[in-house]
Amino acid sequence: MKMIRIIIVTVIFLLAGCAENRTTQDDKEQFVDSLLAEMTLKEKIGQLTLYTSGWTITGPALDSNYRKYITEGRCGNIFNAHTVAYNTELQRLAIEKSRLGIPLLFGYDVIHGHRTIFPIPLAEACSWEPALAKKSAVLAAKEAAASGLNWTFNPVADLSRDPRWGRIAEGSGEDPLLGSLFTAARVKGYQGDNLSDSNTIAACLKHFAVYGAPEAGRDYNTVDLSMRTIREVYFPPYQAAIDAGVSTVMASFNEINGQPATSSTYIEDILRKEWGFDGVLVTDYGAIAELIPHGVATDSAHAGMLALKAGADMDMQSGVYMQSLEGLVKEGKIDESTVNRAVRRVLRLKYDLGLFEDPYRYLDAQTETEVVHSEELMDHALEAGRRSMVLLKNEPYKGKKILPVMNAPARIAVIGPMADNRIDMMGSWHASGDAQMVVTLEEGLKNRFGNADIRTAMGCGFYGNDISGFKEAVRLAEWSDLVILAIGENYVQSGEAASRSDIGLPGAQQQLTETIVKTGKPVVAVLFAGRPLTINWIDEHIPAILYAWQPGTRGGDAVADLLSGEYNPSGKLSVTFPRNVGQIPIYYSTKNSGRPFNPDDKYTSKYLDVPNEPLYPFGYGIGYSEIRYSDLQIDRKVISFGDTLHISVTIENVGEYPTEEVVQLYTRDLVGSVTRPVKELKDFRKVHLEAGEEKTVTFALTADDLRFYDIDMQFVTEPGDFHVMAGPHSAELLTTAFRLER
Ligand code: BGC
């Protein structure tokens, strides 16, 4: 049997080669059909089974059962296994020992880099450069593929407006447009033009659907939102990934409007029928078994039946398909054609990856040595780090701005738990990111300010109230000419299962900050975190604040480049920073309400104890040069459907440093059949400006850009009056008006 299959494959690929390497869809279908025809039901179910390889301190460890399952053709896919040596060993088992020799998929959470870690995705979105994210994905794919992987569980398209939710770190922030562009860029980066290239891997869009809006910000919790909001706000990034050709999708853990995503009608009705996705849908970790606690399945067989029927092709880790599907088919509860449908999708993916042609395509030890941590990757880690950080504040201290630190003072004190910290620089989901390669803040500063005397003190850790390190920290601050406070979250304080109800500085860091500020020394706060933290006190008391997020392997160098002015900060927030958790959910594209805030009227929408405005708005971020916006122009006041409106705005760099500015364009639909947000991002441009340079930036809008779900849930544009706004961020905009007529 195996011989026959090998001959078929060889013939197909020879034929393909003759046709200038173009294998047609027909060839693929023919191949998949003929293979399917040879498979037993058990072997089919094996292709729908995905198990993790454990990872011990010394290396990978696959439960001995799984070796047996692979050999028996009962487990066709493995995740968390990597390195060429290990994956070759496993692939050999599948190819040489199983009856049909079907190659394994090797999946892994390559979220923001594999061994070389780039900034967390939320940070990378602050670059407002989808091309940067694409390059990160290209390089992450190259490094992952060189390490024996062929499938990443990324990108995360979960839009989120709730920084309590720890996984906000993995997405691209709060805005549908920004989120869509970044998600699509990542898909294209991972998958390239040809999935079978040995340096591209299959991407996995996750987590479908609306995982980023759990009630109360608690991970895995219920999601219950209007379909209008879901379609308008949360769906676009998912759909953008489908349009970009993503190969696989992962269902989310949450329930959505009463249905657990894993067995929901959203899979068939929206993902498959409406968006035309026909790739593999994999469940999340153990999620089929979770249909029981969700309360829609009585037992695991029932759960398996619901999931498969709903369109979940591959069972990650719950083992339910392996244990129950055969029985369900035999009892007539599931038609074998439903199993076949899922198996076909998996086989097609393996075919597209080129695994049938060469199952060892991603398994070359020489390439692994050359690519992992190569200069190209390490350089990009620095570049991505520099472009992802956001300068939030830079006010004079005793009449003079501290930043940029052009001439380093003689003595610099770096204080806080991030002062000389490797692992937490990488952030959550750094998977097999190599902490040894990380440049700490101390090292980065030493690399940049060679002549300065740079010393560090932790002061305190990330947990508890232990302040025994304060004394040493204060002594160091008093000794210094400049204090750099290196504070924030560690890598497990955001990410999966890391929701927080208080998003202030964890542990004794707030107290440490106040103690250090009391010394009267000039202080710069550098914050490392996987989410927006509530930092009002810092904003009030510290003149310079850099939000470095979790910047990855070259984090220390990137921070030093920004502090020194070697690179002029250009990042702008991809997410709103609240003043306190009571403001959450908070986002710029809010509705007006019937009683918008009016300071002279008690009965308007507001809090008694905090302003409505966030601490820092979406799109905000400054550099070392001041940018002046003027002269917002539109080329006509009235447009018709089919016309293009041109909008221009002038920006001038009135500072002394060359800079890059993200010019943002928003609109407001003043009257609709349903209420519309007060602002919606429609476009943006990142523009380079030399010192003193002036440029005019032009945007184009058509009626299609103004579509929304009307009262009948039709995606349309309604004629009427609009505002169009341009400026440096969502809360500082020049405004003009136009009318759209039929
Ligand atoms: C996460 C997924 C991840 C999977 C496999 C789950 O807990 O929700 O995002 O891909 O584990 O590691």
Side-chain angles (χ1 to χ4, degrees):
M1 279 301 194
K2 197 189 287 185
M3 205 54 217
I4 297 173
R5 193 178 59 74
I6 291 170
I7 292 169
I8 296 172
V9 179
T10 314
V11 169
I12 287 174
F13 280 95
L14 282 178
L15 286 175
C18 297
E20 292 168 3
N21 265 341
R22 260 181 291 120
T23 54
T24 63
Q25 284 300 105
D26 290 350
D27 291 337
K28 177 160 84 181
E29 290 311 310
Q30 207 183 322
F31 172 79
V32 167
D33 282 346
S34 64
L35 182 51
L36 196 68
E38 288 179 57
M39 295 168 81
T40 63
L41 183 55
K42 262 204 179 66
E43 285 164 339
K44 289 178 187 175
I45 296 165
Q47 291 305 306
L48 310 185
T49 298
L50 170 64
Y51 270 123
T52 180
S53 151
W55 196 266
T56 67
I57 302 214
T58 48
L62 194 71
D63 185 309
S64 54
N65 276 335
Y66 301 151
R67 285 178 195 274
K68 189 164 146 277
Y69 292 150
I70 294 173
T71 309
E72 292 170 356
R74 296 184 64 203
C75 172
N77 314 284
I78 293 288
F79 70 115
N80 288 337
H82 59 97
T83 70
V84 166
Y86 182 49
N87 289 10
T88 303
E89 188 192 325
L90 298 182
Q91 194 66 298
R92 273 223 179 92
L93 281 183
I95 300 299
E96 292 170 14
K97 300 277 195 274
S98 76
R99 190 179 74 92
L100 290 170
I102 300 175
L104 296 167
L105 282 180
F106 291 111
Y108 201 58
D109 290 279
V110 178
I111 307 295
H112 48 116
H114 178 48
R115 306 296 304 285
T116 311
I117 299 299
F118 306 135
I120 53 167
L122 180 65
E124 203 169 55
C126 295
S127 70
W128 292 57
E129 289 176 68
L132 183 81
K134 183 175 177 192
K135 188 164 177 200
S136 295
V138 165
L139 292 173
K142 194 171 172 183
E143 195 175 38
S147 308
L149 295 163
N150 47 39
W151 184 22
T152 176
F153 303 137
N154 203 42
V156 173
D158 305 317
L159 189 142
S160 188
R161 297 175 160 187
D162 192 334
R164 291 171 299 184
W165 188 55
R167 301 195 81 171
I168 198 170
E170 294 174 58
S172 305
E174 75 179 48
D175 183 67
L177 175 68
L178 200 63
S180 298
L181 294 169
F182 271 82
T183 307
R186 292 188 173 115
V187 169
K188 289 185 182 145
Y190 289 125
Q191 298 193 160
D193 297 329
N194 185 351
L195 219 47
S196 72
D197 284 347
S198 58
N199 54 11
T200 59
I201 56 180
C204 182
L205 166 68
K206 68 190 196 186
H207 307 77
F208 186 76
V210 203
Y211 183 40
E215 284 181 356
R218 207 175 70 224
D219 206 4
Y220 317 128
N221 201 13
T222 303
V223 177
D224 202 335
L225 287 176
S226 77
M227 210 53 202
R228 180 180 310 286
T229 300
I230 289 176
R231 285 197 175 273
E232 232 168 78
V233 177
Y234 291 87
F235 272 174
Y238 299 118
Q239 202 175 349
I242 303 297
D243 293 345
V246 74
S247 305
T248 71
V249 173
M250 189 185 292
S252 52
F253 283 128
N254 57 286
E255 71 160 81
I256 163 105
N257 293 350
Q259 304 185 69
T262 305
S263 62
S264 76
T265 49
Y266 286 46
I267 297 174
E268 195 52 36
D269 295 350
I270 293 163
L271 195 63
R272 304 271 190 217
K273 292 212 182 96
E274 206 179 305
W275 298 349
F277 175 71
D278 197 29
V280 174
L281 184 120
V282 62
T283 73
D284 206 338
Y285 199 107
I288 298 183
E290 290 174 17
L291 295 177
I292 303 167
H294 267 300
V296 294
T298 47
D299 54 33
S300 68
H302 186 199
M305 185 178 86
L306 292 177
L308 191 77
K309 282 192 170 165
D313 302 311
M314 196 185 284
D315 172 358
M316 182 195 283
Q317 196 61 18
S318 79
V320 169
Y321 283 179
M322 182 189 268
Q323 283 143 28
S324 310
L325 281 192
E326 210 179 349
L328 287 165
V329 171
K330 293 207 167 122
E331 288 162 29
K333 289 188 175 152
I334 281 187
D335 202 277
E336 192 161 344
S337 63
T338 311
V339 175
N340 290 348
R341 177 181 73 171
V343 178
R344 275 204 177 84
R345 292 188 183 125
V346 175
L347 296 179
R348 283 187 202 122
L349 175 62
K350 294 184 175 184
Y351 186 98
D352 290 341
L353 284 163
L355 291 172
F356 288 112
E357 190 190 24
D358 176 9
Y360 302 102
R361 160 164 306 211
Y362 299 90
L363 296 164
D364 179 58
Q366 173 75 19
T367 308
E368 184 176 35
T369 316
E370 282 165 16
V371 172
V372 171
H373 295 314
S374 65
E375 206 180 318
E376 188 186 22
L377 278 131
M378 292 296 282
D379 285 353
H380 181 72
L382 173 63
E383 196 52 29
R386 303 202 307 181
R387 293 177 167 276
S388 302
M389 297 176 182
V390 184
L391 184 64
L392 295 174
K393 189 177 169 194
N394 192 22
E395 293 295 320
Y397 167 83
K398 294 191 178 161
K400 201 174 163 291
K401 284 189 178 173
I402 305 173
L403 297 179
V405 184
M406 296 296 262
N407 302 308
R411 293 184 289 206
I412 302 178
V414 194
I415 296 173
M418 287 304 296
D420 184 25
N421 180 321
R422 281 181 216 290
I423 193 149
D424 297 310
M425 276 282 190
M426 297 192 291
S428 66
W429 275 124
H430 59 254
S432 49
D434 188 345
Q436 288 319 305
M437 297 299 288
V438 170
V439 179
T440 69
L441 181 56
E442 181 191 14
E443 289 164 351
L445 293 168
K446 285 185 171 161
N447 292 342
R448 176 63 47 207
F449 302 117
N451 297 326
D453 187 352
I454 298 172
R455 301 189 189 173
T456 62
M458 265 181 68
C460 64
F462 295 100
Y463 299 100
N465 304 316
D466 181 3
I467 58 167
S468 57
F470 279 25
K471 246 201 195 128
E472 186 202 343
V474 168
R475 222 181 295 127
L476 198 68
E478 280 165 350
W479 158 87
S480 75
D481 307 310
L482 170 69
V483 177
I484 297 174
L485 264 181
I487 47 181
E489 294 182 316
N490 69 15
Y491 85 93
V492 292
Q493 284 170 331
S494 65
E496 187 174 354
S499 294
R500 296 176 59 204
S501 70
D502 173 352
I503 56 171
L505 283 169
Q509 293 182 90
Q510 180 60 34
Q511 211 182 330
L512 174 70
T513 302
E514 294 179 21
T515 309
I516 296 300
V517 168
K518 261 196 214 126
T519 64
K521 292 287 176 175
V523 177
V524 175
V526 181
L527 284 129
F528 297 87
R531 58 156 62 82
L533 296 173
T534 46
I535 50 170
N536 306 294
W537 194 93
I538 293 179
D539 180 65
E540 263 172 51
H541 296 92
I542 297 186
I545 308 171
L546 177 69
Y547 218 80
W549 301 103
Q550 285 153 332
T553 306
R554 294 288 301 277
D557 285 331
V559 171
D561 280 0
L562 267 68
L563 296 183
S564 67
E566 170 68 22
Y567 180 81
N568 190 354
S570 64
K572 300 228 186 192
L573 297 176
S574 55
V575 63
T576 301
F577 273 48
R579 291 171 192 272
N580 64 24
V581 284
Q583 289 186 315
I584 297 170
I586 185 167
Y587 47 92
Y588 80 92
S589 65
T590 171
K591 301 283 185 76
N592 202 39
S593 88
R595 292 189 174 193
F597 174 60
N598 171 356
D600 302 324
D601 187 350
K602 173 175 164 61
Y603 296 98
T604 57
S605 185
K606 65 169 188 306
Y607 299 102
L608 293 178
D609 54 347
V610 71
N612 286 358
E613 288 74 37
L615 183 61
Y616 304 114
F618 172 78
Y620 175 78
I622 56 175
Y624 296 137
S625 264
E626 192 196 325
I627 308 296
R628 214 163 274 163
Y629 280 70
S630 63
D631 205 22
L632 175 65
Q633 299 279 354
I634 48 178
D635 62 348
R636 51 186 123 169
K637 287 272 168 202
V638 180
I639 61 165
S640 307
F641 282 75
D643 286 349
T644 300
L645 178 73
H646 293 101
I647 305 117
S648 65
V649 66
T650 301
I651 50 168
E652 188 190 352
N653 179 356
V654 293
E656 295 159 29
Y657 305 91
T659 195
E660 279 176 297
E661 170 68 0
V662 181
V663 182
Q664 301 165 36
L665 185 82
Y666 297 83
T667 60
R668 177 175 182 182
D669 188 342
L670 294 180
V671 177
S673 59
V674 293
T675 60
R676 306 294 308 134
V678 294
K679 277 160 210 167
E680 290 176 276
L681 182 71
K682 292 295 169 183
D683 204 352
F684 57 87
R685 195 90 23 88
K686 197 163 186 174
V687 182
H688 181 90
L689 289 172
E690 290 299 323
E693 194 181 3
E694 184 182 288
K695 274 185 185 161
T696 297
V697 180
T698 310
F699 298 99
L701 274 185
T702 67
D704 273 359
D705 296 317
L706 305 168
R707 281 180 294 182
F708 64 96
Y709 290 90
D710 71 1
I711 191 72
D712 303 315
M713 288 302 282
Q714 299 302 306
F715 194 51
V716 297
T717 305
E718 293 177 347
D721 289 316
F722 292 82
H723 282 171
V724 59
M725 298 158 267
H729 60 81
S730 64
E732 189 185 322
L733 296 165
L734 300 171
T735 305
T736 184
F738 70 94
R739 197 176 164 73
L740 172 68
E741 290 182 348
R742 278 250 179 255

